[in-house]
């Protein structure tokens, strides 16, 4: 996955706020990467309404 790529939120690993749960199935754009726990990488996703948050890489998939 690359910065600028469109991705779909396919699952959520952890408990999250309702604002993030509403993003399940939505498409957003990768803005940057984030180190998670020292062994993983997350991606910062921005949605069309300018809301942004990060997800683990296995929570997103390329949007077609």
């Amino acid at each position: 996955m690359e910065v600028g790529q469109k991705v779909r939120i396919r699952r959520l690993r952890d408990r999250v706020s309702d604002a993030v749960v509403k993003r399940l199935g939505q498409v957003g754009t990768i803005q940057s990467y984030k180190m998670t726990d020292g062994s993983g990488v997350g991606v910062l996703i921005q949605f069309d309404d300018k809301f942004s948050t990060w997800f683990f890489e296995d929570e997103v998939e390329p949007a077609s």
Side-chain angles (χ1 to χ4, degrees):
M1 289 184 277
E2 300 177 7
V3 171
Q5 182 177 354
K6 296 276 187 186
V7 293
R8 180 177 328 281
I9 309 308
R10 69 182 187 99
R11 74 182 193 111
L12 300 171
R13 252 201 232 183
D14 298 323
R15 290 185 185 186
V16 292
S17 69
D18 288 343
V20 176
V21 171
K22 291 178 184 177
R23 306 301 166 167
L24 195 57
Q26 290 189 5
V27 174
T29 305
I30 297 175
Q31 298 297 306
S32 64
Y33 296 97
K34 170 184 172 54
M35 288 302 296
T36 56
D37 58 8
S39 64
V41 177
V43 287
L44 178 65
I45 308 294
Q46 184 173 30
F47 298 92
D48 289 340
D49 64 358
K50 304 299 182 211
F51 177 84
S52 61
T53 190
W54 72 274
F55 296 90
F56 291 104
E57 279 189 306
D58 64 345
E59 294 179 316
V60 301
E61 63 188 3
S64 47

